Amino acid sequence: MTLSAQTEAEQLQSIIDSKLDRRRKGVYGPSFGKRLVMFIDDLNMPKVETFGAQPPIELLRQMLDEGGWYDLHTADKAFRELEDVQVVHAMGFPGGGKNDLSIRYTAHMNVFSFTSLSHQSMHRIFSPILAHFLEVSGFNGQVCRLKNSVVSATIDVYETLSRELLPTPTKSHYTFNLRDLGKVIQGVLLISPEHCALADTMIRLWVHETMRVFHDRLTEDQDRQWFQGLMQSSVEKHFKAMGSFTQVFSNCETDPDLVASAGLRRCMFGAWAGGQNSRDKDYCEIQILGREKELAKHMGELLEAVSYTHLRAHETPEHLVCRLLLEKKKPTMTLICRPSTL
């Protein structure tokens, strides 16, 4: 389970109690012959109360100190002893919404700490993956020469986000890890040589994948505008030999002043532009500028065909459609969007 700033002690206790069986009077635990290991992520995220304690963590401390807790759902508040229950935690360093843990709690723990991977280590992991894909798939030399630039740019964006956009109680999901970096590279691996013959196409593909992994997670306009500026500076820094920023995205926006905002929003790749009945399902660039009405019609067809369970407000549904439609093995999907035009 994962804790957040809104997690309450009673909520945590109810979740754990639901996993336990009654063994005998007043004693609870997993099924006989088994041992329950609870993995609790973001342990230090619960909000500190007025007196300096974190109620969910104090509840866990009571379990370790006293061997259980009191049943809050009975009139006599009987003590529930817990057997064969073990806890394993993970947490980040204090800061950005994360708090220091009580020494009374950490005294029960064996603490292991490790530093984040260096830039060189991450580059050594992902660069061979991308280089092997480009070589085996038969991409031309112009595109293959971008392999190191794509990996370096992705790592720079990841490190900048991890440093500048720290999680807070209102934005607890602003947590970025190596899995996000891998998702960007994984998205780049979806393209085929026939749909990526130019270096500019590879740059726009990288921008699209980075926007889907990081930009779509941002919830405030100020953060989105900051990220769009970050994307512009990253392209100018790592791909400057390929031309100016406005030249690379000239097919997305004609006004140079709007390339970093409207232009990046129109930079899109997917397999849905042909419509629901199209046989062409290759992952390729989607030319939005000048085709707004046509693509809006196709999107309407796809939204009717996709089985979705939730419908909530989101600013860019077309971007989510690009990613959702790649999940071909899943019969149902969760779509978070609102009806809008491209």
Side-chain angles (χ1 to χ4, degrees):
M1 66 189 73
T2 302
L3 304 187
S4 69
Q6 288 74 37
T7 303
E8 298 179 355
E10 184 177 357
Q11 178 186 5
L12 178 62
Q13 181 176 342
S14 298
I15 294 174
I16 297 175
D17 283 341
S18 66
K19 307 298 182 182
L20 304 176
D21 299 331
R22 184 176 182 274
R23 291 187 168 182
R24 56 186 182 274
K25 184 178 180 180
V27 179
Y28 294 81
S31 302
F32 280 105
K34 295 184 179 180
R35 186 174 184 85
L36 175 64
V37 179
M38 298 183 297
F39 177 75
I40 301 178
D41 198 8
D42 288 334
L43 177 66
N44 56 347
M45 281 297 292
K47 185 169 54 177
V48 178
E49 64 172 11
T50 306
F51 303 101
Q54 295 167 278
I57 296 177
E58 292 302 315
L59 176 72
L60 295 172
R61 186 184 65 82
Q62 182 186 26
M63 181 188 71
L64 297 175
D65 280 341
E66 308 296 335
W69 47 52
Y70 293 93
D71 189 349
L72 303 179
H73 301 290
T74 59
D76 58 352
K77 301 294 188 292
F79 188 80
R80 297 167 63 106
E81 182 181 349
L82 306 184
E83 288 184 344
D84 296 331
V85 176
Q86 184 178 353
V87 289
V88 179
H89 307 302
M91 54 176 277
F93 290 103
K98 297 181 174 66
N99 306 289
D100 285 310
L101 288 181
S102 168
I103 298 178
R104 294 184 297 173
Y105 189 72
T106 56
H108 293 280
M109 300 294 149
N110 295 312
V111 181
F112 299 89
S113 178
F114 62 92
T115 59
S116 301
L117 291 176
S118 65
H119 187 107
Q120 293 77 10
S121 296
M122 289 186 286
H123 196 281
R124 188 172 183 178
I125 292 172
F126 293 103
S127 183
I129 296 174
L130 182 59
H132 176 75
F133 167 76
L134 295 176
E135 180 181 353
V136 172
S137 300
F139 286 83
N140 61 47
Q142 184 183 16
V143 175
C144 291
R145 282 192 291 271
L146 294 178
K147 59 181 183 296
N148 290 327
S149 298
V150 169
V151 175
S152 296
T154 308
I155 296 173
D156 279 351
V157 170
Y158 163 71
E159 292 179 334
T160 302
L161 284 169
S162 301
R163 183 175 59 252
E164 300 294 336
L165 293 185
L166 298 176
T168 65
T170 58
K171 296 181 285 188
S172 59
H173 64 287
Y174 278 23
T175 55
F176 309 98
N177 52 48
L178 204 61
R179 188 181 298 110
D180 299 313
L181 200 158
K183 287 180 180 178
V184 176
I185 302 301
Q186 184 181 17
V188 174
L189 302 185
L190 294 173
I191 202 69
S192 58
E194 55 267 27
H195 295 299
C196 187
L198 302 176
D200 287 355
T201 306
M202 175 57 72
I203 298 173
R204 291 193 294 269
L205 172 63
W206 173 78
V207 169
H208 165 80
E209 298 300 334
T210 309
M211 294 279 286
R212 301 293 71 77
V213 172
F214 298 112
H215 178 273
D216 290 351
R217 195 184 304 181
L218 307 181
T219 55
E220 295 185 358
D221 290 337
Q222 181 180 357
D223 295 337
R224 297 190 190 103
Q225 293 171 3
W226 174 85
F227 185 82
Q228 291 164 3
L230 175 63
M231 294 306 300
Q232 179 176 358
S233 62
S234 298
V235 171
E236 293 172 347
K237 174 183 177 181
H238 294 279
F239 305 101
K240 57 184 178 181
M242 299 298 106
S244 66
F245 179 75
T246 54
Q247 289 176 339
V248 174
F249 294 92
S250 59
N251 67 326
C252 301
E253 177 56 52
T254 56
D255 188 345
D257 296 331
L258 298 178
V259 173
S261 53
L264 291 183
R265 289 167 59 83
R266 294 194 185 102
C267 178
M268 195 179 307
F269 285 71
W272 58 273
Q276 176 65 16
N277 298 322
S278 174
R279 295 184 178 180
D280 185 7
K281 300 297 182 181
D282 291 341
Y283 195 67
C284 61
E285 185 172 17
I286 300 174
Q287 177 63 38
I288 291 182
L289 189 63
R291 300 179 57 200
E292 288 84 352
K293 293 184 178 180
E294 175 190 352
L295 294 177
K297 179 181 177 181
H298 294 331
M299 186 182 298
E301 296 174 356
L302 293 168
L303 288 176
E304 292 179 2
V306 171
S307 173
Y308 56 90
T309 57
H310 298 284
L311 186 63
R312 301 176 183 174
H314 194 282
E315 188 176 20
T316 54
E318 63 275 14
H319 296 154
L320 294 177
V321 170
C322 289
R323 181 60 61 203
L324 288 172
L325 292 178
L326 293 176
E327 304 291 337
K328 298 179 180 180
K329 297 182 179 180
K330 297 181 180 180
T332 60
M333 309 179 204
T334 299
L335 182 62
I336 306 173
C337 68
R338 73 175 180 206
S340 67
T341 60
L342 294 170

